[in-house]
């Protein structure tokens, strides 16, 4: 409610606002969104409203007065709170200034310039959220000073806070962070140690990396190829594995993450994958004489696919990711590491990609999706829909919702038409028809709203000239 107490003078009225408002058709469509009357439902409202507010700002408009309260009511959703500030106009800013919840949401979501002065009292007196924001900004400005702040209150902070603060440092670790991170690796909290471990693995000079390299040399054994019969040809090198020592023989195994049952049921295979996951793929030839992909053909029953997949994702190694896909590994992390052309080929290829893997993959993509991948994903989605005529869809509902809001708006109308064509198939289940039609309706609405704003945006930015 408005924060005007009884007996307190009513604040002065908002100043007149000369900024124009959107055309009536655009405003009516936005009203439908914020009142959640469209077929796609609440799951896509935040994305659509935030996108539409971006167009309002780009076109140089402000929100009409009748939409201020409905839109501000949605500022509990972070993306809406981030997008609404530039389009409030005088009346909207007046409302925000006199409403506690809206003021907190809008001000909390507004970007803070990195050169704005920092008050160190926030670190010592603020709640965790405020301290994290302070630390993140200071880390960008002065990494050493930020780390010193964490060290100064380390013993008083909770384990959850220590883990969160280490994660900020770990986002972009530097060699100067090594002593601090080595200390954090020995923390009694497994979450703190795990956050420090992620950072140390990205620093080639860390003691942790050296320990992992030594374990890799002992665990991955390579025998040279043999001469063929009658001296013809030569076989390739043979790779086999040995289990890294357990905690009884390796005092650092626990804190280095080898004992946690993350990778495999067999304890030795689990430790082996932990080691493989910690080695940058490009280092294997120097370590053992064969590339990382050769570990996929190792002898024996143990597999290091999980460790290699984690390494490919951690170091963004697209070549290893492609080798893993060729070997049948199609996790969301591996697919997300591929270059866009290869990913498009995988989605368009004959080999199955598990639908829930695609769900995990697309949820990690920034929006809007890259046009090439959006095109290939449309083919995958439509093939999946058609393959389940009369039965339940193998495409998770979340994929339909994400597609409806993440397809580049310039491609939205084409996607919508293809979806409507598929939904017209009477052999599809009623539930699937409803999901497809809802996604098509969302895409159509996005395209129509952008059409109303496009000329104004291009005139202001010069994009159409």
């Amino acid at each position: 409610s408005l924060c005007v107490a009884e007996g307190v003078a009513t604040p002065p009225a908002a100043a007149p606002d000369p900024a124009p408002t959107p055309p009536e058709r655009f405003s009516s469509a936005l009203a439908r969104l914020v009142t959640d009357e469209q077929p796609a439902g609440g799951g896509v409202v935040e994305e659509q409203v935030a996108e539409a507010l971006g167009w309002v700002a780009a076109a140089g408009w402000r929100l009409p007065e009748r939409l201020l309260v409905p839109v501000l009511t949605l500022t509990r959703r972070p993306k809406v709170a981030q997008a609404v500030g530039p389009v409030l106009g005088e009346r909207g800013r007046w409302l925000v200034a006199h409403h506690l919840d809206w003021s907190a949401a809008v001000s909390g979501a507004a970007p803070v310039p990195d050169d704005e002065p920092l008050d160190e009292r926030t670190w010592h007196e603020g709640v965790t959220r405020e301290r994290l924001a302070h630390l993140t900004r200071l880390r960008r400005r002065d990494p050493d000073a930020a780390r010193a702040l964490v060290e100064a209150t380390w013993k008083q902070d909770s384990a959850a806070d220590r883990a969160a603060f280490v994660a900020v440092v770990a986002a972009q670790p530097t060699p100067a962070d090594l002593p601090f991170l080595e200390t954090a690796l020995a923390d009694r909290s497994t979450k703190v140690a795990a956050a420090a471990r992620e950072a140390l693995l990205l620093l080639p000079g860390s003691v942790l990396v050296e320990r992992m390299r030594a374990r890799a040399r002992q665990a991955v054994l390579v025998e040279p190829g043999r001469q063929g019969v009658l001296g013809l040809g030569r076989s390739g090198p043979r790779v086999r594995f040995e289990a890294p020592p357990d905690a009884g023989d390796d005092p650092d195994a626990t804190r280095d993450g080898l004992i946690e049952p993350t990778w495999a049921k067999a304890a030795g295979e689990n430790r082996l994958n932990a080691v493989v996951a910690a080695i940058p793929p490009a280092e294997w030839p120097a370590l053992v004489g064969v590339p990382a992909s050769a570990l996929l053909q190792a002898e024996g029953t143990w597999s290091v696919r999980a460790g290699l997949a984690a390494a490919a994702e951690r170091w963004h190694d697209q070549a290893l990711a492609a080798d893993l896909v060729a070997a049948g590994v199609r996790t969301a992390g591996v697919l997300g590491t591929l270059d866009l052309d290869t990913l498009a080929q995988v989605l368009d290829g004959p080999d199955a990609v598990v639908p829930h893997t695609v769900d995990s993959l697309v949820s990690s993509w920034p929006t809007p999706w890259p046009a090439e991948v959006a095109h290939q994903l449309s083919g995958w989605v439509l093939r999946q829909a058609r393959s389940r005529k009369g039965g339940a869809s193998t495409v998770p509902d979340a994929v339909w919702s994400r597609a409806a809001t993440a397809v580049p708006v310039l491609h939205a109308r084409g996607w919508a038409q293809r979806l409507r064509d598929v939904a017209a198939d009477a052999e599809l289940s009623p539930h699937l028809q409803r999901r497809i039609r809802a996604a098509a309706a969302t895409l159509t609405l996005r395209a129509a709203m952008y059409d109303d704003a496009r000329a104004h945006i291009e005139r202001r930015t010069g994009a159409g000239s």
Side-chain angles (χ1 to χ4, degrees):
S1 61
L2 292 176
C3 53
V4 179
E6 185 177 353
V8 176
T10 302
D17 197 332
T21 56
E24 180 56 31
R25 189 172 71 166
F26 186 101
S27 297
S28 296
L30 182 55
R32 288 179 59 204
L33 290 179
V34 298
T35 55
D36 198 14
E37 294 176 358
Q38 56 149 358
V44 300
V45 167
E46 179 178 4
E47 293 282 352
Q48 280 191 273
V49 172
E51 181 180 51
L53 293 178
W55 296 332
V56 173
W61 299 329
R62 62 176 172 87
L63 283 174
E65 282 79 1
R66 76 176 194 271
L67 292 182
L68 286 171
V69 171
V71 171
L72 286 169
T73 302
L74 289 178
T75 53
R76 64 186 182 276
R77 304 186 182 191
K79 291 184 179 180
V80 175
Q82 292 167 9
V84 75
V87 300
L88 286 171
E90 294 294 341
R91 178 65 176 171
R93 285 188 285 274
W94 184 93
L95 284 171
V96 167
H98 296 95
H99 192 291
L100 294 175
D101 292 340
W102 296 343
S103 177
V106 174
S107 62
V112 180
D114 280 344
D115 58 356
E116 182 174 306
L118 293 172
D119 187 347
E120 192 169 321
R121 288 178 299 179
T122 302
W123 177 255
H124 296 287
E125 301 172 8
V127 298
T128 299
R129 174 179 55 81
E130 296 168 334
R131 298 179 75 201
L132 276 172
H134 179 91
L135 181 65
T136 301
R137 290 172 58 204
L138 182 59
R139 180 71 177 175
R140 289 197 295 263
R141 188 180 304 181
D142 188 341
D144 293 339
R147 185 185 63 253
L149 268 189
V150 177
E151 292 174 314
T153 61
W154 186 256
K155 292 182 180 179
Q156 291 79 46
D157 290 327
S158 68
D161 283 356
R162 293 199 306 275
F165 300 153
V166 171
V168 173
V169 175
Q172 286 188 312
T174 69
D177 299 322
L178 277 171
F180 165 70
L181 292 170
E182 290 285 358
T183 299
L185 182 64
D187 195 273
R188 60 185 180 275
S189 165
T190 56
K191 290 184 178 180
V192 174
R197 189 159 54 242
E198 282 299 311
L200 288 167
L201 289 176
L202 298 177
L203 294 172
S206 73
V207 177
L208 172 62
V209 170
E210 287 303 322
R211 288 196 295 265
M212 288 300 195
R213 287 175 179 144
R215 292 175 181 128
R217 293 187 190 98
Q218 295 175 349
V220 179
L221 307 177
V222 179
E223 298 176 5
R226 298 178 180 179
Q227 195 73 33
V229 179
L230 301 178
L232 299 176
R234 189 177 184 84
S235 64
R238 299 171 59 197
V239 179
R240 59 186 180 86
F241 301 133
E242 286 192 3
D246 61 18
D249 297 316
D250 182 348
D252 297 311
T254 299
R255 71 168 181 165
D256 289 356
L258 272 65
I259 308 304
E260 297 173 15
T262 303
W263 309 98
K265 292 182 179 179
E269 186 177 9
N270 183 74
R271 296 194 299 275
L272 174 65
N273 273 275
V275 170
V276 170
I279 303 298
E283 289 192 8
W284 284 107
L287 281 175
V288 299
V290 295
S293 58
L295 276 61
L296 292 167
Q297 285 81 45
E299 298 177 354
T301 58
W302 283 358
S303 168
V304 293
R305 291 185 175 194
L308 287 173
E313 184 177 358
R314 176 178 285 129
W315 283 282
H316 307 287
D317 193 300
Q318 295 178 336
L320 178 57
D323 290 330
L324 285 161
V325 167
V329 180
R330 299 184 173 213
T331 64
V334 168
L335 293 179
T337 305
L338 295 171
D339 64 84
L340 292 182
D341 288 341
T342 304
L343 176 59
Q345 292 171 16
V346 172
L347 291 174
D348 198 38
D351 296 327
V353 178
V354 178
H356 285 283
T357 298
V358 174
D359 182 20
S360 299
L361 173 65
V362 300
S363 67
S364 68
W365 287 348
T367 55
W369 292 341
E372 315 87 52
V373 175
H375 174 72
Q376 294 298 338
L377 186 64
S378 71
W380 179 87
V381 165
L382 297 179
R383 284 195 303 275
Q384 291 291 317
R386 291 187 175 108
S387 70
R388 299 292 292 180
K389 292 183 179 181
S393 171
T394 60
V395 179
D397 284 355
V399 172
W400 294 112
S401 296
R402 290 192 184 99
T405 57
V407 168
V409 69
L410 294 178
H411 298 262
R413 190 166 274 109
W415 259 70
Q417 185 57 56
R418 288 192 291 273
L419 292 180
R420 281 193 291 269
D421 291 344
V422 173
D425 190 335
E427 293 187 37
L428 296 181
S429 69
H431 172 78
L432 181 54
Q433 287 180 321
R434 286 193 296 272
R435 289 303 304 153
I436 295 175
R437 286 172 180 150
T442 299
L443 288 160
T444 301
L445 183 60
R446 288 177 60 214
M449 293 181 74
Y450 184 68
D451 283 348
D452 287 337
R454 184 174 183 176
H456 298 270
I457 294 171
E458 290 179 349
R459 191 158 47 244
R460 292 189 81 226
T461 62
S465 58

